[in-house]
Amino acid sequence: MKITYREALRQAMHEALAADSRVFLMGEDVGKYGGSYAVSKGFLAEFGPERIRDAPLSELGFVGTAIGAALGGMRPIVEIMTVNFSLLALDQIVNTAAVYRHMSGGQFSVPVVVRMATGGGRQLAAQHSHSLENWYAHVPGITVLAPATVDDARGMLRAALADPDPVVIFEHAMLYPMEGELSPDWEKADLRTAKILRAGRDVTLIAYGGTVWKAQEAARQLAAEGIEAEVLDLRVLRPLDDATIMASVGRTRRAVIVDEGWRTGSLAGEIMARIMEQAFYELDAPVARVCSAEVPIPYAKHMEGAALPQAPAVVAAVRQLLAKA
Amino acid sequence: MSDPERKPVGIPAPEALALLRDMVRIRRFEERCADLYGQQKIRGFLHLYIGEEAVAVGALHALGPGDNIVATYREHGHALARGVPAGAIMAEMYGKQEGCSRGRGGSMHLFDAKTRLFGGNAIVGGGLPLAVGLALAEQMQGGSRVTAVFFGEGAVAEGAFHESMNLAALWKLPVVFCCENNFYAMGTAIERSESQTDLCAKAASYNMKTLRADGMDVIATQAAMRDAVAQVRSGAGPVFVEFQTYRYRAHSMFDPDLYRDKAEVERWKTRGPIHNLSNRMKAEGSLTEEAFLAIDAEAIKEVDAAVAFAEAGTWEPVEHLAHDLYTVNGVETAR
Ligand SMILES: Cc1ncc(C[n+]2csc(CCOP(=O)(O)OP(=O)(O)O)c2C)c(N)n1
């Protein structure tokens, strides 16, 4: 069955709201407006204003409120319009949600799910386009997800809500209208493993969220040249699935990481370090990465395009690795 | 300042005795903490509540056992008044695994699920949204728990305060905002941080009922809190209570206390919350000096036992460092 990413997310939330009265959705314009990305359209009429709760513009306040509600026995899903705005709520996520279980000696878990849009590509400029997944993935105590496929958009929320600890879900803004084939596997979505989306023997392209599709496009172009790229979708940014990464790199002996975050201090850098630590002797070439240019994401289309990782840059990086080998 | 000795106690003697006992317990406990800090048994930040005991004691005695408490880093008094065993609190300050947070939190992060103490939060203002959320959960589940959140007047300048007040009032949530106004945020006096120093006026702008209580008078703090709790439990929405009080000690053990006039401190000390009550009780014949000394001796005994418990406590094995990071399997399982 073909379905959009947005519809997959919608179905996942609908299912959760219908199945468990402890689940509620809270955020700016999730109700009357229908969600800034229209994911919760129609929910207000169906579930009412108590459970589809429009929050005032107060990211710190309502994210903290969701955390408190989770401590109080509810299963809140809180939506933040974009990762840029989530910085106003960072305190509650990092200083409260992430630490409460450990700091209380295991007494208090925080079963909150925080969803937010991330990433560039829509000419929204430097305050709506950034990719700060790594800021969250840096923090122990939370689980960080980046669903890239309709299967994960449909399946990850259920697992996230079943998790007794805080989960942060990044939805790449370019993916909402994307159509995909929903496979029966969506029900098996877990919060631990990476997934090989395309098998190949020559190089592993490691990507997450929006860059998964840039990597797929690069793999198609490379295939035309006879280069078989494996595409690995990280899916889970914390904890990273080292085993799947190392197994793939061990087979292909080369890796390119495609990361929409800025290169400096990036998740790509972390993955490279892990490959050095765990698979150095399996490598036939230095590990490479394609990241966003180190500038605030600009408005003009050509400039934005130049700032974000694109398939041709991935193709070029692969060619260079193979040329070196 | 009015003469508190003239005010009748106004509550039954056993109740007044219970309030007195808790204030003395907190005072003796914290005096010992200061000693132990000097001996380096307790490390890190240690914020004493000495002088402010009437606030936590009066407020917590107005709550029921099912209610939720969210406190700050200055929360030894709240934990003791709530009934967290003194030994578990002291062991926590020692960093022992018998501590109420397994030694993970220390003085600033006392947690106790049993008595619904949701921390010791050391982010100024950080506990307020959390309390709003606990209240939201209660409202959505149709329960009758009240959430009491304690914070200093310093937190009133934080965005978290304003966002939380707005949310709680907007959704009529069962929260009592307990502002412990001791007039200083570390070295910053309230006039140097607030455009409006009348905190009730500020709170009232959120369309919320406000109360102001003499925080040196435990009878007054309890009465104000009872009013607030009754209103909140009736479903009429949140209440803001300002308790005007004073800390006799420095902000923390690192603070040289250079920003206050010594005469000001001495003036407030004449209004000490313990003597405020004990003198009134004596004047009314519901307390003798012997009975007072017996309460004191009992408190000292409790503290001695707490110290012995903490001393006998054990260190959490280092191999447990990552335990309780996550619920499922305790640790990050993909590693
Ligand atoms: C967000 C944040 N900023 C700064 C601090 C450092 N700090 C700790 S306590 C304190 C003063 C707070 O004063 P107040 O809220 O009045 O409470 P009090 O200490 O007087 O009880 C400050 C600035 C902090 N812990 N958190």
Side-chain angles (χ1 to χ4, degrees), chain B:
Chain B
M1 283 171 214
S2 62
D3 181 2
E5 292 178 36
R6 293 283 158 78
K7 273 194 238 158
V9 172
I11 59 170
E15 274 183 45
L17 273 174
L19 297 174
L20 184 64
R21 197 172 289 121
D22 269 353
M23 290 196 292
V24 173
R25 288 174 65 227
I26 295 168
R27 179 67 60 92
R28 288 305 191 193
F29 184 90
E30 288 204 312
E31 286 171 347
R32 186 69 66 87
C33 288
D35 287 349
L36 291 165
Y37 201 89
Q39 297 169 37
Q40 306 202 355
K41 294 282 190 183
I42 299 176
R43 309 309 310 272
F45 278 135
L46 177 71
H47 307 90
L48 299 178
Y49 198 57
I50 291 177
E52 304 186 38
E53 294 92 341
V55 179
V57 171
L60 291 181
H61 278 254
L63 290 166
D67 293 331
N68 299 320
I69 318 294
V70 180
T72 69
Y73 46 86
R74 197 183 299 287
E75 87 290 35
H76 312 143
H78 307 72
L80 284 165
R82 188 60 178 169
V84 182
I89 301 172
M90 191 59 87
E92 185 60 32
M93 303 219 216
Y94 270 65
K96 301 282 180 81
Q97 61 179 336
E98 290 77 9
C100 59
S101 309
R102 292 186 72 77
R104 306 275 184 75
S107 156
M108 299 191 285
H109 303 297
L110 305 176
F111 285 87
D112 187 49
K114 225 185 284 148
T115 59
R116 306 189 71 79
L117 173 61
F118 290 87
N121 199 314
I123 304 299
V124 170
L128 283 107
L130 194 80
V132 171
L134 284 163
L136 175 63
E138 201 53 25
Q139 186 190 65
M140 292 184 78
Q141 293 168 115
S144 62
R145 292 182 210 282
V146 165
T147 298
V149 56
F150 294 85
F151 52 95
E153 86 292 342
V156 170
E158 292 279 5
F161 170 80
H162 297 276
E163 295 187 18
S164 301
M165 294 285 283
N166 183 51
L167 282 168
L170 182 70
W171 293 339
K172 294 209 171 350
L173 299 178
V175 194
V176 186
F177 291 95
C178 304
C179 180
E180 307 183 294
N181 181 5
N182 62 16
F183 299 95
Y184 290 87
M186 291 184 62
T188 304
I190 184 168
E191 314 78 61
R192 296 175 57 231
S193 68
E194 285 295 318
S195 61
Q196 168 58 281
T197 56
D198 180 340
L199 301 181
C200 285
K202 191 159 259 193
S205 75
Y206 287 100
N207 204 8
M208 193 181 298
K209 182 182 159 103
T210 66
L211 295 167
R212 179 175 288 129
D214 176 359
M216 309 310 279
D217 174 358
V218 72
I219 303 297
T221 60
Q222 187 190 36
M225 192 68 177
R226 277 183 173 159
D227 269 8
V229 170
Q231 141 130 9
V232 166
R233 221 186 291 282
S234 77
V239 175
F240 174 90
V241 190
E242 178 192 356
F243 298 98
Q244 295 197 339
T245 183
Y246 202 80
R247 70 171 151 73
Y248 292 169
R249 300 291 181 105
H251 168 74
S252 75
M253 304 306 277
F254 290 92
D255 168 16
D257 208 345
L258 302 173
Y259 45 83
R260 306 190 290 193
D261 185 5
K262 297 280 168 287
E264 178 184 291
V265 181
E266 290 313 311
R267 221 168 32 246
W268 278 91
K269 281 188 178 169
T270 64
R271 302 179 54 201
I274 293 174
H275 284 114
N276 177 325
L277 179 61
S278 65
N279 288 344
R280 283 152 75 186
M281 291 181 73
K282 283 177 190 168
E284 290 180 13
S286 57
L287 181 74
T288 61
E289 180 62 14
E290 296 70 57
F292 180 71
L293 291 175
I295 287 174
D296 193 36
E298 207 183 308
I300 291 169
K301 224 167 87 186
E302 182 186 4
V303 175
D304 288 341
V307 173
F309 179 81
E311 288 281 349
T314 54
W315 306 111
E316 183 174 19
V318 173
E319 304 77 63
H320 292 187
L321 186 59
H323 283 199
D324 289 320
L325 184 56
Y326 294 90
T327 306
V328 179
N329 302 327
V331 293
E332 282 191 337
T333 46
R335 287 281 162 89

Side-chain angles (χ1 to χ4, degrees), chain A residues 1 6 44 47 86 145 166-167 174 176 183 185 191 221 228 272 297 306 318:
Chain A
M1 188 189 37
R6 172 185 290 112
L44 179 63
F47 297 106
S86 81
L145 311 179
V167 178
M174 293 298 280
Y176 289 113
S183 85
D185 278 353
L191 308 186
Q221 290 179 23
E228 290 304 326
M272 292 171 97
I297 305 300
V318 170

